[in-house]
Amino acid sequence: VQLQASGGGLVQAGGSLTLSCKASGSIFSINAMRWYRQAPGKQRELVATIATGGITNYADSVKGRFAISRDNAKNTVYLQMSSLKPEDTAVYYCRAQLSLAESDPLYWYWGQGTLVTVSS
């Protein structure tokens, strides 16, 4: 199983960016999908979660500015980021809770990070 994140880059404050993360491999089902971020010198923090049915949850720091969505047919989760601030600068990681077979339990898998830099 591999989670491939993409879409990071350099953007000016107030700008927008959309991250993508595609899960690939022998996957039976995907439950929740999440985005985390880790700023330099700080702990990794949960940014947004989307459940199988589409229910979403956000960190207070990004509410109203970020939107998480998913395309179940493509095993892909997105993070639309707008009104970006310099404090949003971080490496963003995706994470997916999935099973590899019908009888298997759900496990969390991490993707590699993608760097988002917001300049002031």
Side-chain angles (χ1 to χ4, degrees):
V1 174
Q2 186 176 22
L3 274 68
Q4 183 70 41
S6 61
L10 174 63
V11 63
Q12 288 189 331
S16 300
L17 209 57
T18 297
L19 306 181
S20 301
C21 176
K22 181 176 177 59
S24 61
S26 183
I27 298 169
F28 176 74
S29 67
I30 300 178
N31 192 22
M33 304 183 85
R34 289 175 167 172
W35 286 98
Y36 291 75
R37 67 185 181 186
Q38 188 167 18
K42 295 188 177 181
Q43 288 189 328
R44 192 172 298 187
E45 64 171 346
L46 176 60
V47 175
T49 299
I50 185 166
T52 306
I55 296 174
T56 58
N57 200 9
Y58 299 92
D60 287 342
S61 58
V62 306
K63 279 181 182 176
R65 300 189 298 120
F66 290 12
I68 188 171
S69 61
R70 62 193 288 171
D71 184 333
N72 292 329
K74 296 181 179 179
N75 288 346
T76 300
V77 62
Y78 305 95
L79 186 67
Q80 294 176 282
M81 305 182 293
S82 60
S83 301
L84 283 162
K85 305 174 181 179
E87 51 263 43
D88 293 319
T89 295
V91 177
Y92 284 72
Y93 299 89
C94 58
R95 197 180 187 198
Q97 188 184 38
L98 56 88
S99 63
L100 305 183
E102 184 172 6
S103 59
D104 280 2
L106 293 165
Y107 288 109
W108 285 99
Y109 291 80
W110 285 99
Q112 97 291 358
T114 184
L115 177 62
V116 173
T117 303
V118 183
S119 63
S120 58

